[in-house]
Amino acid sequence: MSVTVRRFATAADRAAAAAAHFCLAASEAVAARGRFCVVLSGGRTPVVLYRALREPPWVGTVPWQACHVFFSDERCVPPHDSASNFGLAQRELLSRVPIPPGQICRAPTETGEAREVAEAWEQALRAFFGADTAFPEFDLAVLGIGADGHTASLFPGDRALDAGPRWVQPVGPRGAPAVARVTLTLPVLNHARSVVFIAAGADKVAAIKAIEAQDAAEFPAARVQPRDGALWLYSEGGL
């Protein structure tokens, strides 16, 4: 597996690099396939990217009308709850750029329990990418990592790590807040054309070093192995 780690002195430098990568991936995808399918993540770390993308020079570079937005995972809370990954992206980015609302595919958390939400979300994804597709090919997946090495809602030791052919898997209450979740599975993330991890904080140092040395089998994030390798953008200070 190819792993590239780029380290930055500040969160602003990291955000600029992430925005440049996002814009390049979007432009290449639209030129090649007429649309850009991107996976966004939750948590605090991607907020600086979202804020960069909604401002010059990046906001005028992204082909927003051709963007289709998906999410790596979601907490089973109402869409405008403060803990919602969709809610965060909506507040910080999606409501501030000219992306058609119908091109945002969020997990339908109002469907019911996590299992029902996962099934409904997978059906929506299969309707978009094609029911006969083995796994979707997102153009870019923007992911984060927890101090325990989890990414999306794929936690160490969880059965969601071995979901077989499933695209979406329910996850029991984990993390903060400790609520049920749904997550894209490892095969789905590994089929993305490009994956960029955005990470920050001294509590991630050990995980980043282990992943860079390719000695991190216990970390779910290390099992995200797209065909062209993963790019890591990391700054020890700041979110």
Side-chain angles (χ1 to χ4, degrees):
M1 178 189 69
S2 171
V3 175
T4 301
V5 178
R6 295 177 59 190
R7 291 174 169 81
F8 300 89
T10 68
D13 291 339
R14 189 191 70 237
H21 188 82
F22 187 104
C23 292
L24 179 60
S27 298
E28 290 180 344
V30 172
R33 292 172 292 280
R35 68 186 188 190
F36 176 51
C37 297
V38 61
V39 173
L40 301 182
S41 60
R44 294 175 294 170
T45 308
V47 170
V48 289
L49 167 62
Y50 298 161
R51 291 175 177 173
L53 288 173
R54 73 194 196 200
E55 301 291 344
W58 312 111
V59 67
T61 304
V62 178
W64 297 109
Q65 293 294 318
C67 289
H68 293 263
V69 175
F70 305 84
F71 294 88
S72 62
D73 62 320
E74 187 56 276
R75 298 177 179 91
C76 291
V77 296
H80 299 296
D81 189 282
S82 61
S84 168
N85 291 344
F86 161 76
L88 173 69
Q90 178 72 4
R91 291 189 300 274
E92 296 290 347
L93 176 63
L94 302 179
S95 65
R96 299 167 181 259
V97 295
I99 180 171
Q103 293 172 197
I104 301 170
C105 183
R106 66 173 181 85
T109 51
E110 65 274 19
T111 302
E113 300 297 326
R115 186 171 300 279
E116 287 73 27
V117 175
E119 290 175 355
W121 196 21
E122 180 160 336
Q123 288 176 7
L125 292 173
R126 289 184 180 275
F128 180 86
F129 286 100
D132 296 330
T133 302
F135 293 105
E137 281 193 307
F138 294 106
D139 296 301
L140 174 66
V142 179
L143 301 175
I145 182 174
D148 62 354
H150 85 267
T151 190
S153 283
L154 299 167
F155 292 88
D158 198 283
R159 63 187 182 90
L161 288 168
D162 300 296
R166 291 290 305 272
W167 292 15
V168 181
Q169 187 78 349
V171 179
R174 300 290 295 267
V179 296
R181 302 166 176 238
V182 292
T183 185
L184 297 182
T185 61
L186 274 174
V188 169
L189 297 177
N190 285 334
H191 274 75
R193 292 184 172 90
S194 177
V195 173
V196 58
F197 282 90
I198 303 176
D203 61 338
K204 313 290 174 56
V205 170
I208 297 294
K209 288 182 177 179
I211 288 169
E212 189 173 23
Q214 299 189 34
D215 185 26
E218 73 274 21
F219 296 146
R223 294 176 61 180
V224 177
Q225 301 175 2
R227 58 178 176 266
D228 292 331
L231 171 64
W232 288 76
L233 306 178
Y234 173 68
S235 61
E236 185 170 340
L239 294 175

